[in-house]
Amino acid sequence: MFATTYLDSIRKRFRSYLDLGSKTIERLTAEELHWQPEGEPNSITHIVKHLHGNMLSRWTDFLTTDGEKPNRHRDAEFEDDKSLSKEAVIKLWSEGWDCLFNAIDNLKEEDLEKTIYVRSEPHSVIDAINRQLAHIPYHVGQIVYIGKMIKKDGWQSLSIPKGQSDAYNREKMGK
């Protein structure tokens, strides 16, 4: 029972992060996806390339091979590639998530008790999943924040808009 509840919960959590990132990416142009704040912060494109590489590496053959695949080139994920179209960025985004959900959807209850490896470091399957539940939302938050910076006053909230919590709660709770 716990395993089923846990697997259902992580699917729900991951889908919420997929949704937040997707809605942000949809609102932006290709040029905006490549925009970087001053200094060395990443663009949304860099973050998507990084999450794509990370998800493919971690979730491909999740139970049977090290989560850091030898064909992954992490440093290249952060290199500028202004030629990437919005469609190409969305494709990378979708491929990473498809890999993640394919792996999760194929997990069985007994798999949660197994040990896997990431960079030769042992992790329980639950710990490896929880590690991703910390890593992915960290970067999705960056995507949303950059989107808000770009759109400024034109940003439409993805959650409860500022100053509208009471109205939202009244509507949701029927008060």
Side-chain angles (χ1 to χ4, degrees), residues 133-149:
L133 275 170
H135 181 247
I136 292 170
Y138 168 82
H139 288 302
V140 171
Q142 292 173 330
I143 289 170
V144 173
Y145 189 72
I146 292 169
K148 289 174 82 167
M149 289 172 52

Side-chain angles (χ1 to χ4, degrees), residues 13-29:
R13 290 297 126 225
F14 278 127
R15 289 209 185 281
S16 71
Y17 302 124
L18 165 61
D19 188 50
L20 286 171
S22 295
K23 286 180 178 176
T24 300
I25 292 167
E26 287 169 11
R27 295 175 181 192
L28 302 172
T29 65

Side-chain angles (χ1 to χ4, degrees), residues 43-118:
S43 68
I44 290 173
T45 299
H46 290 138
I47 297 166
V48 168
K49 286 171 48 180
H50 171 60
L51 285 174
H52 173 263
N54 179 270
M55 286 191 257
L56 290 184
S57 190
R58 297 296 182 268
W59 295 100
T60 299
D61 302 323
F62 177 67
L63 295 173
T64 58
T65 63
D66 192 284
E68 188 64 20
K69 305 295 184 280
N71 64 339
R72 181 179 183 204
H73 303 287
R74 186 182 179 280
D75 291 337
E77 297 164 10
F78 298 100
E79 292 174 2
D80 276 333
D81 187 356
K82 302 269 188 208
S83 68
L84 275 178
S85 66
K86 179 175 179 174
E87 292 75 21
V89 172
I90 291 170
K91 183 177 181 197
L92 292 172
W93 179 252
S94 297
E95 285 176 357
W97 285 102
D98 288 347
C99 182
L100 178 149
F101 284 117
N102 183 54
I104 289 173
D105 289 344
N106 283 298
L107 288 175
K108 296 172 182 51
E109 248 182 77
E110 58 270 17
D111 293 331
L112 296 180
E113 297 177 23
K114 294 180 179 177
T115 298
I116 66 156
Y117 294 86
V118 177

